[in-house]
Amino acid sequence: MSLREKIEVAKEEREGDVILKDVKIVNVFDNSIEEGDIIIYENEIVGVGKYNKAKEIYNLKGYYASPGLIDSHIHIESTFLTPGEFAKAVIPQGTLCVIADPHEIANVSGIRGIKYILNASENLPMDIFFMLPSCVPSSPYENSGARLNIEHLYPFLSNDRVIGLGEMMNYPGVLNCDTDVLKKLEYFENKIIDGHAPFLLGNYLNAYITGGIKSDHECTNLPEAREKLKKGMWIMIREGSAAKDLDALFPLIDANTYPRILLCTDDRHPKDLIKEGHINSILKKLVKKGLDPVLSIRLATLNPSRYFNLPKIGAIAPNYYANIIVFSDLNNFEPLLTFYKGNLVAKEGVPMFSYEKTKSEGGVKNTINIKTLTYDKIKIKALSDSINVIGASSKSLITERYILKAKIEDGYVVSDTKRDILKIVVVERHKATGNVGVGFVKGFKLKEGAIASSIAHDHHNIISIGTNDKDILLSISILESYGGGISIAKNGKILHLLSLPYGGLMTDKSAKEVNEEYNRLLFLANKFGIELEDPFMTLSFMALPVIPHLKITDIGLVDTDNFKVISIFDVGG
Amino acid sequence: MSLREKIEVAKEEREGDVILKDVKIVNVFDNSIEEGDIIIYENEIVGVGKYNKAKEIYNLKGYYASPGLIDSHIHIESTFLTPGEFAKAVIPQGTLCVIADPHEIANVSGIRGIKYILNASENLPMDIFFMLPSCVPSSPYENSGARLNIEHLYPFLSNDRVIGLGEMMNYPGVLNCDTDVLKKLEYFENKIIDGHAPFLLGNYLNAYITGGIKSDHECTNLPEAREKLKKGMWIMIREGSAAKDLDALFPLIDANTYPRILLCTDDRHPKDLIKEGHINSILKKLVKKGLDPVLSIRLATLNPSRYFNLPKIGAIAPNYYANIIVFSDLNNFEPLLTFYKGNLVAKEGVPMFSYEKTKSEGGVKNTINIKTLTYDKIKIKALSDSINVIGASSKSLITERYILKAKIEDGYVVSDTKRDILKIVVVERHKATGNVGVGFVKGFKLKEGAIASSIAHDHHNIISIGTNDKDILLSISILESYGGGISIAKNGKILHLLSLPYGGLMTDKSAKEVNEEYNRLLFLANKFGIELEDPFMTLSFMALPVIPHLKITDIGLVDTDNFKVISIFDVGG
């Protein structure tokens, strides 16, 4: 596009492409709304004011126009959708930019996973920028599909859409000056480095920030957020499917702090995408809580543009890309029209584009690779009748550690449905090592059959809970056949399978279809006794050894308070 | 400096270099002040909180600590000081960063001038970043020492301290899509481009901003500033020696706009540096007008750091350079201590450093190059008794165009001191072309002798005003001998000369000495009848043909409303 032509259109000496006429323009530079016309030429806004000459004129009297919304931190994999389907789900909600950390697929497929997601997000009508996963694997107590160090990550920086280093979850590594961690920080010194440091305060927080880490999305209480903001971190208020911090952090937003606050979801399940929306649903909550709608929008537009140094997105003004959403109600950000770089890409909730699937799927299909699993591998010989049991709940990712009496049959510890003590199995599924971790969990209340999933943060081995070994094995083996997903089995039969063939994490079905399938799984789980709100989400965090107190990986039970692998059997002390 | 060591100091496991203890810390992230300790290791702040282990501890109970101040737009040459002396003058005032546009020296010495100023500012204990001069020469109606196009400018971008393109004064060139101008904008698309577009509004402003121009420091009224801010420009409020816009723009600063507002001086005379200070004097005015002191400081710290994308300066927090000023009074920002990258560089108004003069002075010394000047060249044969006269005043750079009756002696038009119509002469002094522009000016009220200066924006030819031709020639020729400066002559004798041997613009005398010499010039000018507040500054703008209405260059009288060279004699029409 020639600059000369843009200037001529701005001066009304040449016809523009599109005019949005008499629209109430959300101005994130001075937090105001003013009626006017927006003129677009090719992919940019070239003027705001009074315009009449364009190929296409939308009369939008009474409607609002806002810059496209930005999610400052999301793992696209959390939606179960490939980037193309993700785009179809979120663009009609007004999201035109996300900053994605592909650490789920990286844990499965390493640099091939990152390459896949870069390719698959390349030609979509929204901006998908990437922060490279900083912590693959998340801990030494698990076997993931890859181990990424700086030599793997650095080459990706030549890609324009790779803008920094993703959430540095390994804050103990920063504080302990782990060579590998410091190397990553040093290499990314002149890029953006996102943080992840729950509850870190005081001088330890200083030390963490000294590493060049400039944001945090893990604040769950106000004093923590205030201290981090004071020390120069950009605060991302997270309101996702698993973690919801908006209520706690809402008072952080005031006239003195608002320029340093962003919004993010971190993870977003398809059911929430369908039912509530995406960033627009957070805006709705903010306005309901009494925040000025324009200021709310600023947190998801101009502010991330400033933090991530994306000068051409995040506002409606000349020299910005024409990424604009048109909506009718300041209490309810449901876009009527969505424009990306001047093109209408969604209308009344319906995407107006198709996308071509990437041909570069090497390494992300058929990723389930299990050493033949037999009953022997998941049977537990009773060495004692006192066992360590993981206590799960819907309310928190934190688990309890119970010591309970085991149910023993024929010399083996088995699931005890009456007392809700169920066998939980984690099967290494990347390199067919034959690693299997077996333990017991309380809280799921499954009365019949078994469930299994290839989503198990962050290593994404296969995790299963069951009332009997036969159904456990079956629910796992069906995942192997289909390249991953979520399954439910009863009496030797698979009752439902949501297949997730991309890395065992994603599918290219639509959000709507995925949601329907997921609902079917939830319905069956519920029918078979489970009372947890979302048992598959709860299940996916049973294997995350960076969260207190007791978790299970393919290596075995992990006491995550003391960072050691422990026996199923309580041996005292 | 090793990251490991910094982290260890932050954790108090290693001794820091300096602790500023119990100091009231100005926090520009949330506009607050909180007492605490700042710990510094090598050149960075590594912690804010409670610290006790350092080689040197300053007990600063009762004092304030603020980030070093930033001038967002200045021509260092306007201070008459070389970068080293400039640093000595401003660092004790708390200025630790300036964004300089070396367009004065570039008009004299071209790329050699830019090279000189880059070298001369290299190892100073403050940050001097550069925007490359976009408009050399400023217009086609003058002959400057150089003509810079994109091929000359682009190579400088490899220098880390060159961060963008300086004020695009040629806004008609942008609007008219001049090939050369658009090329410059396109080359700097991914850098920062400063604007300069007085009174530009509406669709023309859209067109100008569409060129990628992101700031403006020329707003002189509130509606203009509001519109520019709304359209995405960062607004620099200028309070310099010549132009003072703070009174008019003060109401612009409110809770909705403050993150987009910066401070600058544009130009700063040594007398003001000595008498009032630098950016600290603007802060003083802001606070006096009722703005919160912390918010005032933010305009000169965090905000420019954000606009110019300088992530390690502009705040007191871990991972920021230890550029800190300590002062005692929130109404009066007079630094007691000034630290740059952890080193004490000024104390109680006295610089604590010396600098080494650059050896790269090629092209900036002995720049006065005049073709022998004789009486004939400046005599005006009376072709009519009605002449065009420039009307000068102290209040504005804008001149009037008078048509007055000429005083004629022996068939030549001469200065008429009684009616205050004085001969004004501009002598081309770069390439000895022999170009001489001669005209008449009203407003100076000089009764005896002549004044001359090699500062004449932007071409910096020699400009002189006098009551008689002899003193005019003398005041000019002394400048030739000394490589430029400002002179005053009477009755065939030079009464004073401020020598400015660097490009005819700067000296390496101290600000104090320069101020004394300048005061001597002012005293003499005043003694000889001149009533203007600063006649040498007024003189320097008589030759700037981008300002209305009538100016004079080496080419002759320029009607700057119609952009044409006109005759001294009014020929009607």
Side-chain angles (χ1 to χ4, degrees):
Chain A
M1 177 174 53
S2 111
L3 179 52
R4 181 182 300 271
E5 287 169 18
K6 289 198 286 179
I7 289 172
E8 286 169 356
V9 174
K11 289 193 297 174
E12 283 206 289
E13 288 171 8
R14 175 187 284 270
E15 193 182 49
D17 288 327
V18 175
I19 291 173
L20 309 184
K21 200 143 187 59
D22 298 327
V23 68
K24 294 176 193 156
I25 302 165
V26 170
N27 192 314
V28 289
F29 297 116
D30 68 352
N31 309 329
S32 70
I33 294 178
E34 212 169 297
E35 200 174 280
D37 309 331
I38 303 167
I39 188 161
I40 297 167
Y41 185 67
E42 296 194 351
N43 58 6
E44 283 188 19
I45 296 163
V46 297
V48 173
K50 283 282 152 219
Y51 284 97
N52 291 298
K53 278 170 65 176
K55 289 191 189 78
E56 200 164 5
I57 297 181
Y58 291 82
N59 288 299
L60 296 171
K61 189 99 189 159
Y63 288 93
Y64 297 90
S66 145
L69 305 178
I70 303 172
D71 187 340
S72 289
H73 176 67
I74 186 171
H75 306 286
I76 291 174
E77 304 93 315
S78 72
T79 65
F80 302 163
L81 303 172
T82 53
E85 291 303 321
F86 172 76
K88 283 190 146 182
V90 301
I91 289 171
Q93 314 272 8
T95 305
L96 289 174
C97 175
V98 301
I99 317 299
D101 176 348
H103 92 174
E104 313 287 352
I105 191 70
N107 266 285
V108 174
S109 306
I111 59 170
R112 296 207 292 172
I114 301 175
K115 277 182 189 164
Y116 158 73
I117 210 154
L118 275 167
N119 288 328
S121 60
E122 204 168 16
N123 293 312
L124 299 171
M126 68 179 292
D127 294 312
I128 305 190
F129 294 104
F130 290 92
M131 306 292 277
L132 294 174
S134 64
C135 305
V136 176
S138 80
S139 85
Y141 305 101
E142 62 196 79
N143 289 297
S144 63
R147 175 171 299 277
L148 297 184
N149 57 35
I150 187 64
E151 288 73 23
H152 299 111
L153 299 180
Y154 203 70
F156 286 107
L157 275 176
S158 63
N159 187 307
D160 282 346
R161 291 188 297 130
V162 172
I163 58 176
L165 187 65
E167 50 179 331
M168 179 45 80
M169 300 185 289
N170 189 2
Y171 57 88
V174 177
L175 299 181
N176 295 329
C177 297
D178 288 1
T179 310
D180 221 49
V181 171
L182 296 199
K183 229 193 231 176
K184 284 176 189 163
L185 295 176
E186 282 166 338
Y187 266 87
F188 282 79
E189 205 189 342
N190 297 316
K191 295 277 170 180
I192 301 151
I193 307 177
D194 273 347
H196 163 126
F199 307 121
L200 202 64
L201 297 172
N203 292 357
Y204 282 132
L205 179 60
N206 290 337
Y208 183 72
I209 297 174
T210 281
I213 298 157
K214 290 290 187 200
S215 71
D216 191 85
H217 59 262
E218 288 290 333
C219 299
T220 47
N221 66 80
L222 198 54
E224 178 186 1
R226 283 206 198 284
E227 180 173 338
K228 286 177 173 170
L229 189 145
K230 268 181 183 298
K231 287 179 171 170
M233 289 184 129
W234 297 72
I235 303 302
M236 297 179 185
I237 296 181
R238 174 178 53 185
E239 188 73 357
S241 290
K244 293 181 197 298
D245 304 321
L246 181 57
D247 283 346
L249 301 184
F250 184 74
L252 182 70
I253 313 166
D254 64 29
N256 291 312
T257 58
Y258 74 85
R260 308 286 297 180
I261 298 173
L262 320 175
L263 302 178
C264 77
T265 58
D266 203 351
D267 63 7
R268 198 72 180 156
H269 274 238
K271 72 169 190 301
D272 295 330
L273 278 182
I274 297 283
K275 218 176 117 187
E276 296 180 18
H278 185 212
I279 293 294
N280 58 337
S281 75
I282 310 181
L283 297 183
K284 204 168 148 180
K285 287 183 190 178
L286 283 167
V287 172
K288 208 171 167 188
K289 283 175 171 291
L291 193 67
D292 173 63
V294 177
L295 201 55
S296 306
I297 290 171
R298 183 168 179 152
L299 307 186
T301 56
L302 186 63
N303 291 0
S305 142
R306 294 284 79 217
Y307 169 56
F308 291 109
N309 198 17
L310 303 169
K312 286 179 86 97
I313 66 171
I316 294 179
N319 205 236
Y320 280 74
Y321 288 128
N323 300 351
I324 300 170
I325 60 178
V326 175
F327 59 101
S328 63
D329 184 352
L330 278 178
N331 299 301
N332 197 353
F333 303 85
E334 282 177 10
L336 175 75
L337 305 171
T338 305
F339 295 88
Y340 173 74
K341 293 191 175 171
N343 296 309
L344 185 67
V345 292
K347 195 173 168 179
E348 292 174 57
V350 180
M352 306 283 284
F353 66 93
S354 58
Y355 66 94
E356 217 174 310
K357 281 188 202 170
T358 176
K359 275 153 200 118
S360 316
E361 293 174 349
V364 300
K365 284 290 199 70
N366 305 310
T367 60
I368 309 288
N369 191 14
I370 298 177
K371 192 165 177 189
T372 312
L373 198 61
T374 58
Y375 285 101
D376 293 350
K377 291 287 271 184
I378 65 168
K379 282 170 93 171
I380 306 283
K381 209 170 166 67
L383 302 178
S384 144
D385 66 352
S386 177
I387 54 173
N388 287 304
V389 175
I390 301 168
S393 88
S394 270
K395 290 188 201 92
S396 172
L397 306 187
I398 294 170
T399 54
E400 297 301 320
R401 177 178 174 181
Y402 301 127
I403 298 167
L404 300 173
K405 200 172 174 348
K407 178 177 176 183
I408 299 172
E409 279 178 1
D410 302 330
Y412 291 91
V413 187
V414 296
S415 289
D416 182 350
T417 51
K418 271 191 195 148
R419 291 163 61 222
D420 182 29
I421 299 172
L422 302 174
K423 187 176 278 185
I424 181 166
V425 173
V426 177
V427 180
E428 193 283 324
R429 61 89 157 178
H430 302 289
K431 291 165 185 171
T433 56
N435 275 2
V436 179
V438 186
F440 288 87
V441 65
K442 190 172 173 61
F444 280 78
K445 298 194 181 163
L446 184 68
K447 301 294 179 208
E448 303 171 90
I451 58 175
S453 173
S454 54
I455 301 171
H457 300 289
D458 285 334
H459 43 77
H460 300 303
N461 287 312
I462 291 177
I463 188 162
S464 172
I465 288 176
T467 58
N468 66 84
D469 289 357
K470 187 176 171 192
D471 286 337
I472 287 175
L473 287 190
L474 182 61
S475 67
I476 292 171
S477 68
I478 188 77
L479 297 187
E480 192 182 10
S481 323
Y482 281 84
I486 304 174
S487 63
I488 187 158
K490 199 184 83 167
N491 297 337
K493 273 169 89 174
I494 293 296
L495 298 187
H496 198 72
L497 164 73
L498 165 58
S499 147
L500 298 170
Y502 292 81
L505 302 170
M506 294 171 281
T507 170
D508 50 15
K509 288 179 184 163
S510 73
K512 192 165 163 284
E513 287 173 280
V514 172
N515 187 40
E516 281 162 9
E517 293 210 28
Y518 198 75
N519 280 339
R520 175 85 191 141
L521 286 167
L522 288 175
F523 169 80
L524 290 168
N526 191 248
K527 191 174 158 189
F528 301 152
I530 290 182
E531 291 174 12
L532 292 169
E533 200 187 315
D534 186 336
F536 304 105
M537 199 201 294
T538 305
L539 182 65
S540 73
F541 288 107
M542 290 297 107
L544 183 58
V546 294
I547 303 233
H549 298 283
L550 186 62
K551 300 279 178 177
I552 184 165
T553 74
D554 64 307
I555 297 173
L557 276 181
V558 185
D559 169 350
T560 58
D561 300 328
N562 300 299
F563 290 108
K564 61 178 186 183
V565 177
I566 62 169
S567 163
I568 289 176
F569 299 99
D570 179 54
V571 288
Chain B
M1 177 174 53
S2 109
L3 179 52
R4 179 181 301 271
E5 286 169 19
K6 289 197 287 178
I7 289 172
E8 285 169 358
V9 174
K11 288 194 298 174
E12 283 206 289
E13 286 172 8
R14 175 187 285 268
E15 193 181 49
D17 289 328
V18 175
I19 290 174
L20 309 184
K21 203 146 184 55
D22 299 327
V23 68
K24 293 177 193 155
I25 302 164
V26 170
N27 192 314
V28 289
F29 297 116
D30 69 351
N31 309 329
S32 71
I33 293 178
E34 211 168 296
E35 199 174 281
D37 310 331
I38 303 166
I39 188 160
I40 297 167
Y41 185 67
E42 296 195 350
N43 58 6
E44 281 188 20
I45 297 163
V46 297
V48 173
K50 282 283 152 218
Y51 284 96
N52 291 298
K53 278 170 65 174
K55 290 191 189 78
E56 200 166 3
I57 297 181
Y58 291 83
N59 288 300
L60 295 172
K61 189 99 189 158
Y63 288 92
Y64 297 89
S66 145
L69 306 178
I70 304 172
D71 187 340
S72 290
H73 176 67
I74 187 172
H75 306 286
I76 292 175
E77 303 94 315
S78 72
T79 65
F80 302 163
L81 303 172
T82 54
E85 291 303 321
F86 172 75
K88 283 190 145 181
V90 301
I91 289 171
Q93 315 272 8
T95 305
L96 290 174
C97 176
V98 300
I99 317 298
D101 177 347
H103 92 174
E104 313 287 353
I105 190 71
N107 266 285
V108 173
S109 307
I111 59 171
R112 295 208 292 173
I114 301 175
K115 277 182 188 164
Y116 157 74
I117 210 154
L118 275 167
N119 288 327
S121 60
E122 204 168 15
N123 294 311
L124 299 171
M126 69 180 291
D127 294 312
I128 305 189
F129 294 104
F130 290 92
M131 306 293 275
L132 294 175
S134 63
C135 305
V136 177
S138 80
S139 84
Y141 306 100
E142 61 195 79
N143 288 296
S144 63
R147 176 171 298 277
L148 298 183
N149 56 35
I150 187 65
E151 288 71 25
H152 299 112
L153 298 179
Y154 203 70
F156 286 107
L157 275 176
S158 63
N159 187 307
D160 282 346
R161 292 188 296 129
V162 172
I163 58 177
L165 187 65
E167 49 179 331
M168 179 46 79
M169 300 185 289
N170 189 2
Y171 57 89
V174 177
L175 299 181
N176 295 329
C177 297
D178 287 1
T179 308
D180 220 50
V181 171
L182 296 199
K183 229 192 228 176
K184 284 176 188 163
L185 295 176
E186 281 165 339
Y187 266 87
F188 282 80
E189 205 188 341
N190 297 316
K191 296 278 170 178
I192 301 149
I193 307 177
D194 273 347
H196 163 127
F199 307 120
L200 202 64
L201 296 172
N203 292 356
Y204 282 132
L205 178 60
N206 291 336
Y208 183 73
I209 297 173
T210 281
I213 298 157
K214 290 291 186 200
S215 72
D216 191 85
H217 59 261
E218 290 288 333
C219 298
T220 47
N221 66 78
L222 197 54
E224 178 186 0
R226 284 206 197 285
E227 181 174 337
K228 286 177 174 170
L229 189 144
K230 269 181 182 297
K231 287 179 171 171
M233 289 184 129
W234 297 73
I235 303 303
M236 299 180 184
I237 296 181
R238 174 178 55 185
E239 188 74 357
S241 290
K244 294 183 195 296
D245 305 321
L246 181 57
D247 284 345
L249 301 184
F250 183 74
L252 182 70
I253 313 165
D254 65 29
N256 291 311
T257 58
Y258 74 84
R260 309 285 297 180
I261 298 172
L262 320 174
L263 302 178
C264 76
T265 58
D266 203 352
D267 63 7
R268 198 72 179 156
H269 274 238
K271 71 170 193 300
D272 295 330
L273 279 182
I274 297 283
K275 217 175 117 187
E276 296 179 17
H278 184 211
I279 293 295
N280 57 339
S281 74
I282 310 182
L283 297 183
K284 205 168 147 181
K285 288 182 189 177
L286 284 167
V287 172
K288 209 170 167 189
K289 282 174 171 291
L291 193 68
D292 173 63
V294 178
L295 201 55
S296 306
I297 290 171
R298 184 169 179 154
L299 307 187
T301 56
L302 187 62
N303 290 1
S305 141
R306 293 284 79 216
Y307 169 57
F308 291 108
N309 198 17
L310 303 168
K312 287 180 85 99
I313 66 171
I316 294 179
N319 204 238
Y320 280 75
Y321 288 128
N323 300 351
I324 300 171
I325 61 177
V326 175
F327 59 101
S328 62
D329 183 352
L330 279 178
N331 298 303
N332 197 353
F333 302 87
E334 282 178 10
L336 176 75
L337 305 170
T338 304
F339 295 89
Y340 172 74
K341 292 190 176 172
N343 296 310
L344 185 66
V345 292
K347 196 173 169 179
E348 293 173 57
V350 180
M352 306 283 283
F353 66 94
S354 58
Y355 67 94
E356 216 173 312
K357 281 187 204 171
T358 176
K359 275 154 201 115
S360 318
E361 294 174 349
V364 299
K365 285 288 200 73
N366 305 311
T367 60
I368 309 289
N369 192 14
I370 298 178
K371 191 165 179 190
T372 313
L373 198 60
T374 57
Y375 285 101
D376 293 348
K377 291 287 272 183
I378 65 168
K379 282 170 94 170
I380 306 285
K381 208 171 167 65
L383 302 178
S384 143
D385 65 352
S386 177
I387 54 173
N388 287 304
V389 175
I390 301 168
S393 89
S394 270
K395 290 189 202 91
S396 173
L397 306 186
I398 294 171
T399 53
E400 298 301 320
R401 177 178 174 182
Y402 301 127
I403 297 169
L404 299 173
K405 201 173 171 353
K407 179 179 177 184
I408 299 172
E409 279 178 1
D410 302 331
Y412 291 91
V413 186
V414 296
S415 289
D416 181 351
T417 51
K418 272 190 194 147
R419 291 163 61 222
D420 182 30
I421 299 172
L422 302 174
K423 188 176 274 185
I424 182 165
V425 174
V426 176
V427 180
E428 192 282 325
R429 61 92 156 177
H430 302 289
K431 291 165 185 171
T433 56
N435 275 2
V436 178
V438 185
F440 288 87
V441 65
K442 188 172 175 64
F444 280 78
K445 298 192 182 165
L446 184 68
K447 301 294 179 209
E448 303 172 273
I451 59 176
S453 173
S454 54
I455 302 171
H457 302 288
D458 284 336
H459 43 78
H460 300 303
N461 287 310
I462 291 177
I463 187 163
S464 172
I465 288 177
T467 58
N468 65 84
D469 288 357
K470 188 176 170 191
D471 286 338
I472 288 175
L473 287 191
L474 181 61
S475 67
I476 292 172
S477 67
I478 187 78
L479 297 187
E480 191 183 10
S481 321
Y482 281 83
I486 304 174
S487 64
I488 186 159
K490 199 184 83 166
N491 297 338
K493 273 168 89 174
I494 293 296
L495 298 187
H496 198 72
L497 165 73
L498 165 59
S499 145
L500 298 171
Y502 292 82
L505 301 171
M506 295 172 281
T507 170
D508 50 15
K509 288 179 185 164
S510 73
K512 193 165 163 284
E513 288 172 280
V514 172
N515 186 39
E516 281 163 9
E517 294 210 28
Y518 199 75
N519 281 338
R520 176 85 190 138
L521 287 167
L522 289 175
F523 169 79
L524 290 170
N526 191 248
K527 192 174 158 191
F528 302 151
I530 290 182
E531 290 174 12
L532 293 168
E533 200 188 315
D534 187 336
F536 304 104
M537 199 201 295
T538 306
L539 182 66
S540 73
F541 288 107
M542 291 297 107
L544 184 57
V546 295
I547 304 232
H549 298 282
L550 185 63
K551 300 280 179 177
I552 184 166
T553 74
D554 65 308
I555 296 174
L557 277 180
V558 185
D559 169 350
T560 57
D561 300 328
N562 300 299
F563 290 110
K564 60 177 185 184
V565 178
I566 62 168
S567 162
I568 289 177
F569 299 99
D570 178 52
V571 288

